[in-house]
Amino acid sequence: MHKARLVVTVLILAALLGAAQVQARIIAVPSADVLPDGAIELSLFNHRGNTHLKGSVGMFNQLQADLGGVFSSEAHLRTALKLALVKEQTAVPGVALGMEITDSRLDFYGVLSKQLVSGIRGHLAFGSGRYSKGMVGLSYVLNPVQVNKNAPLLTLGVEYDGSGLNTGITAKFAPNFGAHIYLSDFQRLGAGLNYRFSF
């Protein structure tokens, strides 16, 4: 069974690498980035056996609001706000504060994001609730220079999300459409799609 999972994972990753370019994206670890003003992003993904559906909107280039649900044996509504306090610069990490409400529970977190070396970006988050054990992630852009315009931008990611390790790849097929596939704790396969537009 483990060999079959490994083979399927390798085949999917190989297909993505051959057909897509990856955009760096961490799966569950937040970044200090927010959507630009007027941008809306819709996401559907499966993480650790739960299906997540989320809509996000950027406001004033400093604030992002999320509304979504987590669907497992029962549904849970999740709303969130994230405020970008400091924009990332060469010598200064990006800093953001966030708040999440899941059902009736309120959690807070802080996050730092910084380009560490060429192509590698790090993210560190800590707070209450699901952030209480801390989260850390690294992403690496595989093909920052696109030779083939039809090839997607590809990003590799590895993270600890407070529950375990996720490793995977993100493919940005167009400026407004991306997909990712990853493995949690080298056992459970996860995948997702996101679509962005502006108003």
Side-chain angles (χ1 to χ4, degrees):
M1 186 66 169
H2 292 292
K3 286 184 181 180
R5 284 183 187 160
L6 182 60
V7 168
V8 168
T9 301
V10 169
L11 288 175
I12 292 171
L13 290 175
L16 279 174
L17 284 168
Q21 293 178 337
V22 173
Q23 175 191 12
R25 177 178 177 191
I26 302 297
I27 309 304
V29 175
S31 75
D33 305 326
V34 294
L35 290 172
D37 187 40
I40 295 175
E41 186 170 274
L42 304 175
S43 304
L44 174 65
F45 59 99
N46 186 279
H47 180 60
R48 297 187 181 277
N50 296 323
T51 300
H52 297 250
L53 180 61
K54 181 175 77 170
S56 304
V57 61
M59 296 171 281
F60 315 114
N61 293 318
Q62 281 193 291
L63 186 66
Q64 179 175 314
D66 300 337
L67 175 62
V70 182
F71 305 95
S72 52
S73 56
E74 51 187 64
H76 301 278
L77 183 65
R78 179 181 289 165
T79 57
L81 283 175
K82 181 167 58 171
L83 176 64
L85 298 176
V86 178
K87 295 288 185 186
E88 183 178 342
Q89 299 171 30
T90 305
V92 179
V95 180
L97 293 177
M99 158 183 105
E100 286 185 354
I101 302 171
T102 304
D103 296 330
S104 60
R105 180 185 172 92
L106 177 62
D107 294 313
F108 295 93
Y109 68 90
V111 58
L112 301 173
S113 294
K114 181 77 175 72
Q115 187 80 24
L116 302 175
V117 294
S118 180
I120 298 178
R121 194 163 181 234
H123 309 274
L124 179 65
F126 189 78
S128 62
R130 67 189 184 108
Y131 302 96
S132 62
K133 294 182 180 177
M135 296 183 177
V136 62
L138 293 172
S139 58
Y140 174 68
V141 181
L142 289 175
N143 54 346
V145 178
Q146 291 178 266
V147 177
N148 180 351
K149 296 276 187 194
N150 295 322
L153 179 65
L154 298 176
T155 303
L156 288 175
V158 59
E159 67 178 19
Y160 171 73
D161 66 4
S163 298
L165 187 69
N166 303 313
T167 56
I169 191 166
T170 301
K172 188 173 182 183
F173 295 96
N176 61 341
F177 177 68
H180 61 271
I181 187 165
Y182 64 96
L183 203 57
S184 295
D185 300 322
F186 302 104
Q187 294 180 352
R188 183 171 286 186
L189 198 60
L193 300 169
N194 64 291
Y195 180 75
R196 184 182 297 187
F197 60 96
S198 298
F199 63 91

